[in-house]
PDB file of all heavy atoms in Angstrom:
ATOM      1  N   ARG W1668     114.967  -0.070-109.085  1.00  0.00           N
ATOM      2  CA  ARG W1668     116.026   0.750-109.659  1.00  0.00           C
ATOM      3  C   ARG W1668     117.392   0.107-109.431  1.00  0.00           C
ATOM      4  O   ARG W1668     118.289   0.242-110.240  1.00  0.00           O
ATOM      5  CB  ARG W1668     115.980   2.146-109.028  1.00  0.00           C
ATOM      6  CG  ARG W1668     116.994   3.141-109.555  1.00  0.00           C
ATOM      7  CD  ARG W1668     116.877   3.376-111.044  1.00  0.00           C
ATOM      8  NE  ARG W1668     115.617   3.885-111.508  1.00  0.00           N
ATOM      9  CZ  ARG W1668     115.309   5.171-111.669  1.00  0.00           C
ATOM     10  NH1 ARG W1668     116.184   6.106-111.360  1.00  0.00           N
ATOM     11  NH2 ARG W1668     114.121   5.534-112.116  1.00  0.00           N
ATOM     12  N   GLU W1669     117.498  -0.628-108.326  1.00  0.00           N
ATOM     13  CA  GLU W1669     118.763  -1.317-108.047  1.00  0.00           C
ATOM     14  C   GLU W1669     118.819  -2.674-108.695  1.00  0.00           C
ATOM     15  O   GLU W1669     119.735  -3.473-108.414  1.00  0.00           O
ATOM     16  CB  GLU W1669     118.948  -1.446-106.505  1.00  0.00           C
ATOM     17  CG  GLU W1669     119.213  -0.108-105.824  1.00  0.00           C
ATOM     18  CD  GLU W1669     119.233  -0.211-104.287  1.00  0.00           C
ATOM     19  OE1 GLU W1669     118.980  -1.294-103.757  1.00  0.00           O
ATOM     20  OE2 GLU W1669     119.502   0.819-103.662  1.00  0.00           O
ATOM     21  N   ASN W1670     117.834  -2.990-109.510  1.00  0.00           N
ATOM     22  CA  ASN W1670     117.725  -4.301-110.191  1.00  0.00           C
ATOM     23  C   ASN W1670     117.768  -5.474-109.217  1.00  0.00           C
ATOM     24  O   ASN W1670     118.352  -6.508-109.501  1.00  0.00           O
ATOM     25  CB  ASN W1670     118.868  -4.466-111.201  1.00  0.00           C
ATOM     26  CG  ASN W1670     118.653  -3.540-112.390  1.00  0.00           C
ATOM     27  OD1 ASN W1670     117.529  -3.401-112.867  1.00  0.00           O
ATOM     28  ND2 ASN W1670     119.714  -2.880-112.816  1.00  0.00           N
ATOM     29  N   SER W1671     117.151  -5.269-108.069  1.00  0.00           N
ATOM     30  CA  SER W1671     117.128  -6.346-107.086  1.00  0.00           C
ATOM     31  C   SER W1671     116.037  -7.354-107.437  1.00  0.00           C
ATOM     32  O   SER W1671     115.018  -7.017-108.040  1.00  0.00           O
ATOM     33  CB  SER W1671     116.862  -5.750-105.701  1.00  0.00           C
ATOM     34  OG  SER W1671     116.590  -6.770-104.779  1.00  0.00           O
ATOM     35  N   LYS W1672     116.290  -8.625-107.053  1.00  0.00           N
ATOM     36  CA  LYS W1672     115.262  -9.642-107.291  1.00  0.00           C
ATOM     37  C   LYS W1672     114.242  -9.693-106.164  1.00  0.00           C
ATOM     38  O   LYS W1672     113.239 -10.376-106.232  1.00  0.00           O
ATOM     39  CB  LYS W1672     115.942 -11.013-107.420  1.00  0.00           C
ATOM     40  CG  LYS W1672     116.662 -11.176-108.741  1.00  0.00           C
ATOM     41  CD  LYS W1672     116.976 -12.636-108.986  1.00  0.00           C
ATOM     42  CE  LYS W1672     117.705 -12.829-110.315  1.00  0.00           C
ATOM     43  NZ  LYS W1672     118.967 -12.040-110.380  1.00  0.00           N
ATOM     44  N   VAL W1673     114.573  -8.998-105.073  1.00  0.00           N
ATOM     45  CA  VAL W1673     113.670  -9.011-103.916  1.00  0.00           C
ATOM     46  C   VAL W1673     112.373  -8.273-104.234  1.00  0.00           C
ATOM     47  O   VAL W1673     112.366  -7.247-104.914  1.00  0.00           O
ATOM     48  CB  VAL W1673     114.382  -8.370-102.703  1.00  0.00           C
ATOM     49  CG1 VAL W1673     113.431  -8.189-101.521  1.00  0.00           C
ATOM     50  CG2 VAL W1673     115.578  -9.216-102.311  1.00  0.00           C
ATOM     51  N   LYS W1674     111.265  -8.873-103.803  1.00  0.00           N
ATOM     52  CA  LYS W1674     109.958  -8.323-104.169  1.00  0.00           C
ATOM     53  C   LYS W1674     109.235  -7.808-102.920  1.00  0.00           C
ATOM     54  O   LYS W1674     109.507  -8.241-101.799  1.00  0.00           O
ATOM     55  CB  LYS W1674     109.109  -9.417-104.794  1.00  0.00           C
ATOM     56  CG  LYS W1674     109.648  -9.964-106.104  1.00  0.00           C
ATOM     57  CD  LYS W1674     108.522 -10.279-107.053  1.00  0.00           C
ATOM     58  CE  LYS W1674     108.920 -10.196-108.512  1.00  0.00           C
ATOM     59  NZ  LYS W1674     110.326 -10.334-108.830  1.00  0.00           N
ATOM     60  N   VAL W1675     108.310  -6.898-103.154  1.00  0.00           N
ATOM     61  CA  VAL W1675     107.440  -6.476-102.050  1.00  0.00           C
ATOM     62  C   VAL W1675     106.068  -7.112-102.212  1.00  0.00           C
ATOM     63  O   VAL W1675     105.597  -7.338-103.328  1.00  0.00           O
ATOM     64  CB  VAL W1675     107.285  -4.927-101.983  1.00  0.00           C
ATOM     65  CG1 VAL W1675     108.625  -4.245-101.824  1.00  0.00           C
ATOM     66  CG2 VAL W1675     106.549  -4.393-103.189  1.00  0.00           C
ATOM     67  N   LEU W1676     105.455  -7.447-101.101  1.00  0.00           N
ATOM     68  CA  LEU W1676     104.113  -8.029-101.105  1.00  0.00           C
ATOM     69  C   LEU W1676     103.347  -7.482 -99.917  1.00  0.00           C
ATOM     70  O   LEU W1676     103.866  -7.426 -98.811  1.00  0.00           O
ATOM     71  CB  LEU W1676     104.181  -9.552-100.937  1.00  0.00           C
ATOM     72  CG  LEU W1676     104.326 -10.447-102.160  1.00  0.00           C
ATOM     73  CD1 LEU W1676     104.265 -11.904-101.731  1.00  0.00           C
ATOM     74  CD2 LEU W1676     103.265 -10.149-103.218  1.00  0.00           C
ATOM     75  N   HIS W1677     102.123  -7.092-100.139  1.00  0.00           N
ATOM     76  CA  HIS W1677     101.291  -6.667 -99.023  1.00  0.00           C
ATOM     77  C   HIS W1677     101.031  -7.891 -98.128  1.00  0.00           C
ATOM     78  O   HIS W1677     100.891  -9.015 -98.609  1.00  0.00           O
ATOM     79  CB  HIS W1677      99.965  -6.094 -99.511  1.00  0.00           C
ATOM     80  CG  HIS W1677      99.200  -5.432 -98.430  1.00  0.00           C
ATOM     81  ND1 HIS W1677      98.350  -6.119 -97.589  1.00  0.00           N
ATOM     82  CD2 HIS W1677      99.185  -4.143 -97.988  1.00  0.00           C
ATOM     83  CE1 HIS W1677      97.831  -5.286 -96.695  1.00  0.00           C
ATOM     84  NE2 HIS W1677      98.315  -4.062 -96.930  1.00  0.00           N
ATOM     85  N   ILE W1678     100.947  -7.663 -96.831  1.00  0.00           N
ATOM     86  CA  ILE W1678     100.793  -8.771 -95.888  1.00  0.00           C
ATOM     87  C   ILE W1678      99.536  -9.595 -96.207  1.00  0.00           C
ATOM     88  O   ILE W1678      99.514 -10.820 -95.997  1.00  0.00           O
ATOM     89  CB  ILE W1678     100.796  -8.261 -94.429  1.00  0.00           C
ATOM     90  CG1 ILE W1678     100.953  -9.420 -93.435  1.00  0.00           C
ATOM     91  CG2 ILE W1678      99.551  -7.443 -94.091  1.00  0.00           C
ATOM     92  CD1 ILE W1678     101.304  -9.011 -92.033  1.00  0.00           C
ATOM     93  N   ALA W1679      98.519  -8.966 -96.757  1.00  0.00           N
ATOM     94  CA  ALA W1679      97.297  -9.707 -97.113  1.00  0.00           C
ATOM     95  C   ALA W1679      97.598 -10.794 -98.142  1.00  0.00           C
ATOM     96  O   ALA W1679      97.012 -11.877 -98.120  1.00  0.00           O
ATOM     97  CB  ALA W1679      96.242  -8.750 -97.658  1.00  0.00           C
ATOM     98  N   GLU W1680      98.507 -10.485 -99.050  1.00  0.00           N
ATOM     99  CA  GLU W1680      98.852 -11.441-100.096  1.00  0.00           C
ATOM    100  C   GLU W1680      99.563 -12.657 -99.512  1.00  0.00           C
ATOM    101  O   GLU W1680      99.409 -13.776 -99.996  1.00  0.00           O
ATOM    102  CB  GLU W1680      99.720 -10.773-101.162  1.00  0.00           C
ATOM    103  CG  GLU W1680      98.966  -9.667-101.898  1.00  0.00           C
ATOM    104  CD  GLU W1680      99.852  -8.894-102.866  1.00  0.00           C
ATOM    105  OE1 GLU W1680     100.104  -9.382-103.966  1.00  0.00           O
ATOM    106  OE2 GLU W1680     100.289  -7.786-102.472  1.00  0.00           O
ATOM    107  N   ILE W1681     100.348 -12.443 -98.455  1.00  0.00           N
ATOM    108  CA  ILE W1681     101.012 -13.575 -97.810  1.00  0.00           C
ATOM    109  C   ILE W1681     100.037 -14.371 -96.962  1.00  0.00           C
ATOM    110  O   ILE W1681     100.000 -15.602 -96.992  1.00  0.00           O
ATOM    111  CB  ILE W1681     102.209 -13.081 -96.978  1.00  0.00           C
ATOM    112  CG1 ILE W1681     103.281 -12.532 -97.903  1.00  0.00           C
ATOM    113  CG2 ILE W1681     102.770 -14.205 -96.089  1.00  0.00           C
ATOM    114  CD1 ILE W1681     104.536 -12.029 -97.217  1.00  0.00           C
ATOM    115  N   LEU W1682      99.194 -13.681 -96.243  1.00  0.00           N
ATOM    116  CA  LEU W1682      98.216 -14.344 -95.380  1.00  0.00           C
ATOM    117  C   LEU W1682      97.180 -15.106 -96.201  1.00  0.00           C
ATOM    118  O   LEU W1682      96.507 -16.021 -95.721  1.00  0.00           O
ATOM    119  CB  LEU W1682      97.508 -13.347 -94.463  1.00  0.00           C
ATOM    120  CG  LEU W1682      98.421 -12.544 -93.523  1.00  0.00           C
ATOM    121  CD1 LEU W1682      97.624 -11.551 -92.706  1.00  0.00           C
ATOM    122  CD2 LEU W1682      99.232 -13.463 -92.625  1.00  0.00           C
TER     123      LEU W1682
END
Side-chain angles (χ1 to χ4, degrees):
Chain W
R1668 182 59 59 92
E1669 291 173 356
N1670 290 318
S1671 169
K1672 286 195 180 57
V1673 173
K1674 296 217 153 22
V1675 301
L1676 272 185
H1677 190 274
I1678 193 165
E1680 295 174 79
I1681 292 182
L1682 301 178

